[in-house]
Amino acid sequence: MDQLSLFDEAENECEPELLEDISYTRAKKKQKGKNDIKLDNLKHVKKVYDIDEKDRVCDECGSKLSYVGEEFVRHEVVYEPAKLYVKDIYRKTYECRNCRKKERQ
């Protein structure tokens, strides 16, 4: 208790009105992963991926899968010199009609 502190001499010896409280607020960092680009003004090219005919077989019952639609996967912004467009990636989706009928019953 009787030992003096080396680091608070200036605070102990100066006048109280000269002491000022310094504070600041930190700016929030920009979140990663958000696209600030407006993609509506760009040309869109639709690319649909499909599976081979031989792979369109149900894993459960072995019957042929039926086409039910497309599923949106992602947007890719593609840059070519003097061109910029958006490639919309989709994949075709299939279901087994036999397994679906069994689920309803």
Side-chain angles (χ1 to χ4, degrees), residues 3 6 92 102:
Q3 185 177 2
L6 298 175
K92 291 187 176 183
K102 290 177 186 176

Side-chain angles (χ1 to χ4, degrees), residues 31-97:
Q31 293 181 352
K32 292 182 180 179
K34 289 192 174 184
N35 290 339
D36 291 337
I37 314 169
K38 301 295 182 206
L39 302 177
D40 298 337
N41 299 342
L42 296 174
K43 175 180 138 185
H44 285 250
V45 175
K46 185 175 182 178
K47 176 69 177 171
V48 180
Y49 290 95
D50 197 2
I51 57 176
D52 292 332
E53 184 76 33
K54 63 181 180 177
D55 296 329
R56 296 181 198 164
V57 179
C58 180
D59 295 333
E60 300 294 322
C61 67
S63 62
K64 185 178 176 183
L65 298 178
S66 301
Y67 177 74
V68 293
E70 296 173 350
E71 176 185 14
F72 175 75
V73 178
R74 68 180 177 269
H75 293 294
E76 289 181 359
V77 177
V78 178
Y79 172 74
E80 293 178 2
K83 290 183 183 178
L84 186 66
Y85 64 92
V86 178
K87 186 187 328 182
D88 298 326
I89 307 296
Y90 290 83
R91 69 173 157 226
K92 291 187 176 183
T93 54
Y94 296 89
E95 71 177 359
C96 176
R97 300 287 183 184

